[in-house]
Amino acid sequence: MVYTITMKTGVIALNDEQFRRLDLVKKSIAGFITEAEAAEKLGISKRQVQRLKKGVRENGEAAMIHKNTHRKPSHAIPDELKGKILVIRSKAGFKDANFKHFQELLETEYGITISYSSLYRLLKENNVASPKKRRRFKPHRRRKRRPQAGSMVQMDASPYDWLNTGKRYTLHGAIDDATGQVVGLFLCQNECMQGYHEVMRRMITVFGIPEAIYADRHTIFRSPNADKAKAEDAPPGIKAHETQFGRALNELGIQIIAARSPQAKGRIERLWETLQSRLPIVFRIQDITTLESANEYLRNYIFDFNSNFAVEPSDVDSAFLPLDAGSNLDYILCVKEIRTLDHGQVFSFQGKRLQIEKAPYSNYIPPKAKVTVMVSPYIGVMVSYLSYVFSTKPAPHRPRYQEKTKQSHIKTTEQGHSPSRWEPQSGLP
């Protein structure tokens, strides 16, 4: 309740606590209670009661109002800065950012440093709502983090309008289970093996080889017949062939663990929620609208992201291992298929005839040998045989039987061969 008191200098307003204090001070001035009794009831010292009595005698009831009331603190945010922050918030590139992300953008883009609590109060006082909605809490028992970095890496992909173009692209990513560090991000048209290969390449190049990959049951990671082949009542003939990505993990010595629910790999699911509220805003501010520029930007973006969200592991020893000096990552993160050579070292692949280029030891490959064809955007089409790798080239054109017959007929006619009885004779009508 607010009490108004009319004075010669104007009208003052006192709250309940100030009015109660005024009443006790006046009783002490009138002699109804002692200064010690007033101090005990007010919870202050006797000396403070004497100061209040002196203030009431000299200034009246206004002495109950603190002198700093309605006075702006020296450390308060200037009104000019508040207005600038609100103008920045209204811009297209910033109005979709949540409050925490907006605080970071103010510092990185405009050099404005403000605490989160102050920014939160400023935006709330001006009816600015955060776009990040909180859904109802669902109880779920969280799995403990792995103790070492590199002990397990969660991998997944998320389709979203990342480039603010109205078209959904798929962001492939991997996050370390122990530290929450994002170890690789790559954007593609759709979820594909090439996207996961690029994430693996970036992770191994910067961090190293992890012990295990935790992913869903997409056919990129495992055969759709894997569970059927393991069943006790599985019919004969069902085989679970190794996928290309699974084969690459085996060559790198990485175990693959299949998750049975999105909640099981909740760490990367929460990563997508965070990135979907941040990355499109960053891309808009940086004017990034193509896959090439986005993937180049993501190389360094993960380090800024990790500085804000990564945590220390319980065990400081890292389980990430470096790539062996004798291993070539280009020959592992690729598609491999078996082909048989003919007598001219030619083989068919995806509707084309290719030939092994001449190189040291290429002449030692016998006819009918089975070779491994390796394909990727980095190496093109190469052939591996007994740990040796050879380049390929288009094979010489081999004419069909009909083409050979036609060419032979033309050649004999040009040499003066007499026409057959089915050909028209010269001079006849």
Side-chain angles (χ1 to χ4, degrees):
M1 185 175 179
V2 178
Y3 301 90
T4 58
I5 300 175
T6 304
M7 302 177 61
K8 292 181 180 180
T9 56
V11 179
I12 64 173
L14 301 178
N15 56 30
D16 289 338
E17 180 62 27
Q18 292 169 339
F19 189 80
R20 175 174 171 272
R21 178 173 291 194
L22 176 63
D23 180 60
L24 291 173
V25 170
K26 284 185 175 180
K27 287 180 179 180
S28 179
I29 294 173
F32 292 107
I33 58 175
T34 63
E35 291 179 352
E37 291 173 337
E40 183 179 356
K41 291 182 179 181
L42 292 174
I44 58 178
S45 65
K46 183 179 177 181
R47 187 175 180 83
Q48 184 65 16
V49 173
Q50 293 173 357
R51 291 195 186 97
L52 292 175
K53 288 170 65 175
K54 181 181 179 181
V56 171
R57 290 192 187 101
E58 295 178 354
N59 302 315
E61 288 82 353
M64 293 295 103
I65 301 177
H66 198 279
K67 292 181 180 180
N68 284 335
T69 303
H70 305 303
R71 180 183 296 177
K72 194 169 185 178
S74 59
H75 61 277
I77 302 174
D79 294 335
E80 182 181 356
L81 181 59
K82 288 183 178 180
K84 184 178 180 180
I85 292 175
L86 293 175
V87 170
I88 296 173
R89 178 67 185 185
S90 63
K91 292 183 179 180
F94 297 87
K95 64 181 180 180
D96 295 332
N98 59 64
F99 289 175
K100 181 62 179 176
H101 190 201
F102 182 56
Q103 178 198 13
E104 298 171 6
L105 292 174
L106 284 175
E107 184 173 359
T108 56
E109 300 295 329
Y110 292 91
I112 298 175
T113 303
I114 182 174
S115 66
Y116 178 79
S117 58
S118 299
L119 180 62
Y120 182 88
R121 285 195 302 269
L122 173 62
L123 297 178
K124 283 296 184 181
E125 289 171 358
N126 290 273
N127 299 320
V128 179
S130 175
K132 190 170 183 179
K133 298 179 180 179
R134 297 286 182 180
R135 63 181 181 180
R136 187 176 178 182
F137 172 75
K138 294 182 180 180
H140 180 73
R141 182 177 296 175
R142 290 191 178 185
R143 177 181 49 78
K144 288 185 178 181
R145 292 179 181 267
R146 290 292 182 97
Q148 290 180 314
S151 178
M152 185 174 72
V153 171
Q154 297 186 16
M155 186 172 286
D156 196 17
S158 173
Y160 193 70
D161 183 16
W162 298 102
L163 298 179
N164 308 289
T165 59
K167 183 179 179 181
R168 293 166 68 90
Y169 293 96
T170 300
L171 182 64
H172 302 71
I175 184 172
D176 182 62
D177 186 78
T179 62
Q181 280 188 321
V182 178
V183 294
L185 292 174
F186 193 81
L187 199 60
C188 291
Q189 294 278 355
N190 302 293
E191 185 175 4
C192 59
M193 181 184 62
Q194 183 62 31
Y196 288 114
H197 276 179
E198 291 300 321
V199 171
M200 289 292 299
R201 183 184 301 275
R202 295 187 175 191
M203 174 180 62
I204 294 173
T205 303
V206 178
F207 297 90
I209 301 175
E211 290 182 351
I213 294 292
Y214 197 42
D216 56 23
R217 293 172 174 263
H218 197 284
T219 53
I220 292 176
F221 302 106
R222 66 198 304 269
S223 170
N225 293 329
D227 293 332
K228 297 179 182 179
K230 293 180 180 179
E232 295 180 357
D233 56 347
I238 293 183
K239 296 182 180 179
H241 296 286
E242 189 178 47
T243 65
Q244 290 287 343
F245 191 78
R247 184 266 315 154
L249 293 186
N250 284 338
E251 291 185 18
L252 291 169
I254 302 175
Q255 178 189 6
I256 185 167
I257 305 173
R260 293 188 175 274
S261 67
Q263 291 79 9
K265 50 184 180 64
R267 212 168 307 287
I268 196 166
E269 296 293 343
R270 289 189 293 274
L271 171 66
W272 297 138
E273 182 181 356
T274 305
L275 289 178
Q276 286 173 7
S277 67
R278 286 172 169 259
L279 259 186
I281 297 171
V282 173
F283 285 156
R284 188 184 298 121
I285 294 173
Q286 300 293 332
D287 195 23
I288 294 175
T289 57
T290 63
L291 289 176
E292 292 76 13
S293 56
N295 285 324
E296 188 61 31
Y297 182 82
L298 290 173
R299 288 184 182 275
N300 296 320
Y301 174 77
I302 62 173
F303 302 111
D304 296 333
F305 186 90
N306 292 338
S307 64
N308 291 328
F309 294 97
V311 299
E312 291 291 334
S314 57
D315 190 344
V316 296
D317 293 331
S318 176
F320 280 111
L321 297 177
L323 184 67
D324 292 339
S327 300
N328 191 329
L329 205 56
D330 293 337
Y331 299 159
I332 298 175
L333 299 178
C334 61
V335 175
K336 292 186 177 182
E337 294 186 11
I338 304 298
R339 290 293 185 272
T340 303
L341 298 180
D342 64 7
H343 290 272
Q345 294 188 339
V346 176
F347 61 95
S348 298
F349 184 77
Q350 295 183 353
K352 297 181 180 180
R353 298 179 71 251
L354 301 174
Q355 185 178 34
I356 296 177
E357 291 188 350
K358 288 186 177 181
Y361 306 105
S362 63
N363 293 332
Y364 294 96
I365 304 178
K368 304 298 181 180
K370 293 188 178 297
V371 297
T372 302
V373 182
M374 304 182 297
V375 185
S376 81
Y378 289 88
I379 61 175
V381 181
M382 303 191 78
V383 167
S384 173
Y385 181 76
L386 297 180
S387 72
Y388 292 96
V389 178
F390 305 94
S391 301
T392 63
K393 64 179 181 180
H397 178 66
R398 183 177 61 181
R400 296 177 179 273
Y401 175 76
Q402 292 82 354
E403 294 179 357
K404 288 183 177 180
T405 305
K406 184 177 180 180
Q407 292 175 359
S408 175
H409 175 72
I410 294 174
K411 184 176 180 180
T412 55
T413 303
E414 292 176 350
Q415 293 176 352
H417 180 70
S418 59
S420 67
R421 63 189 183 94
W422 301 110
E423 297 175 355
Q425 302 292 327
S426 59
L428 295 179

